[in-house]
Amino acid sequence: MSDKEKRPKSCVGVMIFKDGKILLGKRKGSHGRGEYSFTGGHLEFKESFEFCAKRETLEEAGIIIKNIKFLCAANIDRHENRQDTLIGLSAEWESGEARIMEEDKCDGWGWYELDNLPSPLFYPSEVLIDSYKTGKNYYDKE
């Protein structure tokens, strides 16, 4: 692994609410396959957290969000060859129907009650849920 590959990447995760439920999608691919996750992804150069949240949500689920707020920051270091800095945000659904926009990355989207979530959850999504429930906003290495 090169030095460039060893650098942490900045990611945004978005916990989206609609009618008291949250949006989760079942992941495909090698990272988190079969786990349920919020919308989100890597922060692009010169991109704001809010713009990244809006862009990733539209690209992944085809919906528009509003009232984006900071939820937490986390150092995600659970894999030998990967480290991410997660910026966790919450948002409200504004418009659109959640649908698969990237067939190679998601098996489907659903709205779930916080006390009745699917399993298993993608670890970064677990962090956002914990932050929302506890008010904790800083997660460092475990």
Side-chain angles (χ1 to χ4, degrees):
M1 176 180 286
S2 72
D3 285 341
K4 184 177 181 182
E5 293 171 321
K6 290 181 185 176
R7 293 178 185 248
K9 294 184 179 181
S10 299
C11 300
V12 170
V14 192
M15 186 175 188
I16 303 166
F17 290 86
K18 177 184 177 186
D19 300 327
K21 296 180 179 179
I22 57 174
L23 181 66
L24 291 165
K26 191 171 185 181
R27 297 175 67 91
K28 286 184 176 180
S30 61
H31 188 60
R33 176 186 288 280
E35 298 175 343
Y36 289 85
S37 177
F38 296 123
T39 62
H42 288 109
L43 191 66
E44 300 293 334
F45 185 68
K46 299 278 188 176
E47 189 174 49
S48 71
F49 301 149
E50 184 172 332
F51 186 85
C52 180
K54 288 179 177 181
R55 175 183 57 77
E56 289 285 356
T57 299
L58 189 59
E59 285 176 3
E60 293 177 6
I63 63 172
I64 296 172
I65 55 175
K66 63 182 180 180
N67 298 330
I68 299 167
K69 297 178 183 168
F70 175 78
L71 192 56
C72 65
N75 183 12
I76 306 295
D77 184 18
R78 294 178 59 96
H79 300 282
E80 182 179 325
N81 296 322
R82 185 180 179 116
Q83 180 182 356
D84 295 302
T85 301
L86 173 66
I87 305 302
L89 304 172
S90 66
E92 295 174 13
W93 170 87
E94 183 173 345
S95 65
E97 291 298 321
R99 62 191 186 280
I100 299 171
M101 302 292 290
E102 299 172 320
E103 292 184 15
D104 60 325
K105 295 181 180 179
C106 182
D107 270 333
W109 295 100
W111 295 97
Y112 299 90
E113 295 177 0
L114 274 170
D115 60 354
N116 190 24
L117 297 174
S119 182
L121 290 172
F122 187 53
Y123 179 70
S125 297
E126 287 182 23
V127 170
L128 270 64
I129 292 166
D130 183 71
S131 177
Y132 177 78
K133 288 181 174 181
T134 66
K136 183 177 177 181
N137 64 8
Y138 172 73
Y139 298 78
D140 208 343
K141 286 186 173 188
E142 297 176 75

Short mmCIF file of all heavy atoms in Angstrom, two decimals, residues 31 66 84 99 129:
data_model
loop_
_atom_site.label_atom_id
_atom_site.label_comp_id
_atom_site.label_asym_id
_atom_site.label_seq_id
_atom_site.Cartn_x
_atom_site.Cartn_y
_atom_site.Cartn_z
N HIS A 31 -17.24 -3.37 0.39
CA HIS A 31 -17.19 -2.66 1.68
C HIS A 31 -18.60 -2.56 2.27
O HIS A 31 -19.43 -1.79 1.82
CB HIS A 31 -16.60 -1.26 1.47
CG HIS A 31 -16.33 -0.51 2.73
ND1 HIS A 31 -15.47 -0.97 3.71
CD2 HIS A 31 -16.81 0.66 3.17
CE1 HIS A 31 -15.44 -0.10 4.70
NE2 HIS A 31 -16.24 0.89 4.39
N LYS A 66 -33.54 18.58 3.08
CA LYS A 66 -33.50 19.95 3.60
C LYS A 66 -33.14 19.91 5.08
O LYS A 66 -33.06 18.83 5.68
CB LYS A 66 -34.85 20.64 3.39
CG LYS A 66 -35.99 19.97 4.16
CD LYS A 66 -37.32 20.66 3.90
CE LYS A 66 -38.43 19.96 4.69
NZ LYS A 66 -39.72 20.59 4.48
N ASP A 84 -11.33 6.34 7.71
CA ASP A 84 -12.17 7.43 7.24
C ASP A 84 -12.47 8.40 8.37
O ASP A 84 -12.61 8.00 9.53
CB ASP A 84 -13.50 6.90 6.70
CG ASP A 84 -13.33 6.04 5.46
OD1 ASP A 84 -12.78 6.54 4.48
OD2 ASP A 84 -13.75 4.87 5.49
N ARG A 99 -35.36 5.57 -4.49
CA ARG A 99 -35.27 4.49 -5.46
C ARG A 99 -33.80 4.18 -5.72
O ARG A 99 -32.92 4.99 -5.43
CB ARG A 99 -35.97 4.87 -6.75
CG ARG A 99 -35.38 6.07 -7.46
CD ARG A 99 -36.29 6.55 -8.60
NE ARG A 99 -35.70 7.60 -9.39
CZ ARG A 99 -35.67 8.88 -9.06
NH1 ARG A 99 -36.18 9.29 -7.92
NH2 ARG A 99 -35.12 9.78 -9.85
N ILE A 129 -26.62 6.76 14.40
CA ILE A 129 -27.79 6.43 15.21
C ILE A 129 -27.49 6.63 16.69
O ILE A 129 -28.28 7.22 17.43
CB ILE A 129 -28.29 5.00 14.91
CG1 ILE A 129 -28.86 4.93 13.49
CG2 ILE A 129 -29.33 4.55 15.94
CD1 ILE A 129 -29.07 3.53 12.97
#
